[in-house]
Amino acid sequence: MKNQFGQWLESNNVRRFNMATKDGWNAFAQSAPRQPLPSLSALELGNLDESEREDYNDARAVWNANPPAMKTAQLIRAFSVLDQVMASNYRDGDRLRGSAVIDAAPALGKTTIATRYAREFHRKTLRRSGVTTEEGNQRIPVAFVPLESAVTLKGLNEKILSFYGHPAATRATSTRLASLAIDCVRSCQTQLIIIDDLHFVDFKHRRGREVSNHLKGLANEMPATFIYVGVQLRDKMFFDEGLYGEDASFAQTSRRATRVPVEPFTLTTTPGLRAWCDLLERFEEHLLLLNKEQGMLVRNAREIFRKTQGNFGSLTNLIDRASQLAIRSGKETIDTEILEALAMDNAAETSVSAL
C-alpha cells in the first residue's frame, strides 16, 4: 500500500506534456496547480521509515523543480507587447492580422513566455465560447508547432497537421497539405498559432525563403495571429526574409511582425539588482528544504548571478540542482558550499570560466 507521499507522487509527478499535439496542448493548458506538499520538520522526517523518506524526498524534488510561473519584468513586458499585437485578432476574417516575434539569445525563457501567454488565451477563449464550434467541431484556440532542424515547406505543413491529428499529415502532397492545414485552423477556430524554434530555418537559403513565403501565405489564409519564437532571428534575417540591401526594404515580414525582445537580468543598476533579488526570493519561498532560511538565496545573489549570467534557463538549472544536492547531502539548505559543489550547464560554466 502506498504511503501518503507515494500517493502524492502518483497524482502530482512529472507531467509529460506533448504540446506538439492538440491533446497534449490541451492537457497542458487545462492542467491545475499541484496539490501542496507537506513541509516536514527534521524530527518528522526522522520518524519516517525508509520508503516514506525516499518517497518524500522524491516528491520534494518534483515540487522544487516545478515552481509556479514567475512574473518577471521580462515576462510582464513581453505580455504587454503580445497584448498589443493581439489587438489585431479582433479583425474580421478578411483582414490581415499582425504577428509577434519573441527573439532573444538562448535560455531566456522565450518558449515559456509564449506558452504561458497562449495558455491564458486558451482558457479565456474556452470559458467564453465553449469547447465546440457552432458547426460542432472541437474548438482549439491555440496551435503549438515546434520546428525541427532543416525544416522544409512540406515538413512545416506536416507539423501543423500532426498537431491537429489529421490522418493525411504524412500522406498528402505539399499543395494538399497546405489546404488541409488551413481547413483545420478554420474548422477548429484556432486564433493563435505558435511557431517555435524558428531559428532552425535558414532564411538566406532558398528553402528557408520558401518557408518564409509560405508562412506569409498561411498568415494571409488563416484567421489567426502568429507568435514566432526563436534565437536571434533578427541576426538570421527573418524580418528581412533573407533579402539584402535595398531589397530588404520590400520585406513584408518587417511591416507585419513586432519583435518582442527578452533581455537577461543585470546587476549593473539598482532596479536590476532589486529585480534579481525579488526573483530569488520567489524561488526561495517555493522551495521545500528543512533548514531553509529567509534570505538563503538573496545572500548569495551575486554568486548565483556569476554562475548563471542572469539567464533564466541557467538559473532554473541551478535551483533544481542546488535543491537536490541540499537534500541528498543532508544540509537541507542552499549555501556557499552547495553552490560551489554544483555542476552547471555548459554555457554557464564556459561563461564563468571566461570571467
Side-chain angles (χ1 to χ4, degrees), residues 95-146:
R95 299 173 184 271
L96 290 177
R97 289 157 170 76
S99 61
V101 184
I102 303 178
D103 177 25
L108 292 181
K110 298 180 297 298
T111 300
T112 298
I113 288 171
T115 54
R116 270 51 182 185
Y117 184 88
R119 178 166 64 181
E120 290 185 8
F121 179 81
H122 173 103
R123 291 176 172 177
K124 180 176 68 175
T125 302
L126 293 188
R127 175 180 61 81
R128 288 179 174 174
S129 304
V131 297
T132 57
T133 68
E134 296 83 352
E135 293 77 20
N137 300 315
Q138 180 184 5
R139 189 186 306 279
I140 305 175
V142 175
F144 180 79
V145 184

Side-chain angles (χ1 to χ4, degrees), residues 25 33 40 71 74 79-80 86 120-121 157 161 168 174 191 196 219 221 225 235 256 264 279 283 320 329 336:
W25 171 264
L40 302 185
K71 290 193 174 182
Q74 291 89 333
F79 272 32
S80 176
M86 286 293 288
E120 290 185 8
F121 179 81
N157 289 329
L161 286 179
S174 296
Q191 299 178 60
D196 197 18
E221 296 291 334
T225 297
D235 295 339
R256 293 182 182 180
L279 178 62
F283 271 110
D320 292 350
S329 68
T336 303

Side-chain angles (χ1 to χ4, degrees), residues 163-274:
F163 175 85
Y164 289 94
H166 199 290
T170 58
R171 297 201 304 266
T173 63
S174 296
T175 304
R176 180 62 176 157
L177 285 171
S179 62
L180 290 174
I182 293 168
D183 181 64
C184 282
V185 169
R186 289 184 174 275
S187 298
C188 298
Q189 295 188 9
T190 302
Q191 299 178 60
L192 182 60
I193 300 174
I194 300 173
I195 306 293
D196 197 18
D197 293 328
L198 192 60
H199 49 267
F200 283 138
V201 178
D202 183 359
F203 298 102
K204 301 174 187 176
H205 191 273
R206 175 182 59 81
R207 285 187 176 179
R209 289 194 292 272
E210 287 177 352
V211 171
S212 176
N213 289 330
H214 185 59
L215 286 172
K216 285 188 296 182
L218 293 180
N220 290 339
E221 296 291 334
M222 295 176 173
T225 297
F226 282 73
I227 297 179
Y228 304 108
V229 183
V231 175
Q232 297 175 333
L233 295 176
R234 182 164 58 185
D235 295 339
K236 295 179 183 296
M237 301 182 67
F238 167 69
F239 294 95
D240 299 328
E241 300 167 8
L243 301 174
Y244 291 90
E246 294 182 359
D247 290 338
S249 64
F250 296 103
Q252 293 179 341
T253 301
S254 189
R255 290 290 181 185
R256 293 182 182 180
T258 300
R259 185 169 180 267
V260 184
V262 183
E263 302 298 335
F265 285 87
T266 178
L267 301 189
T268 58
T269 65
T270 299
L273 175 60
R274 186 181 302 117

Side-chain angles (χ1 to χ4, degrees), residues 3 5-6 9 50-60:
N3 59 63
F5 307 117
L9 275 169
E50 184 177 350
S51 62
E52 288 175 324
R53 187 180 304 110
E54 182 179 86
D55 288 349
Y56 182 63
N57 287 339
D58 285 346
R60 284 198 290 164

